[in-house]
Amino acid sequence: MYAQYSEGFPGVVIKGEKIYVDRKQDLTKQLAQFYTDYLADDSSKYTLSPEYAAGFHTFITNEKLSSRAIKGHVTGPVSWGLTVTDETGKGIIYDETLGDVVPKFLRLKASWQEQVLSKLNRKHHYFR
């Protein structure tokens, strides 16, 4: 689940089972773009792509779906910020800059997911 939500995080690298942020690279532009998107409440760039969340996409494209309610899920910022580390192995939640980005980033992921799932609910005429 941590890898699913890592897509689009500034400087993130996935190598095998390890997810980390490469602080050796200049993250200035990526962080500036992130904060611009966050302040604009633009979750369109913070999707869960099929490459990162195949099960989610299988679910939302299931034409036989007939549920009364649909619940999304997002990992928590503390768990995610402790699991995703910097290149030294320290949880990014302890980094002053990245620790601030984590909950905002996950909020944009949740917002995008909510938009997708609410359309699915309307498609099936159960809620909204």
Side-chain angles (χ1 to χ4, degrees), residues 9-10 23 27-28 31-32 34-35 92-104:
F9 193 86
R23 295 292 276 146
L27 301 178
T28 306
L31 289 169
F34 169 77
Y35 278 109
I92 63 169
I93 200 164
Y94 298 114
D95 181 285
E96 187 175 330
T97 302
L98 298 178
D100 181 64
V101 172
V102 170
K104 292 171 173 65

Side-chain angles (χ1 to χ4, degrees), residues 67-82:
S67 60
R68 293 192 50 167
I70 298 172
K71 177 186 177 285
H73 184 81
V74 177
T75 186
V78 173
S79 299
W80 198 86
L82 290 170

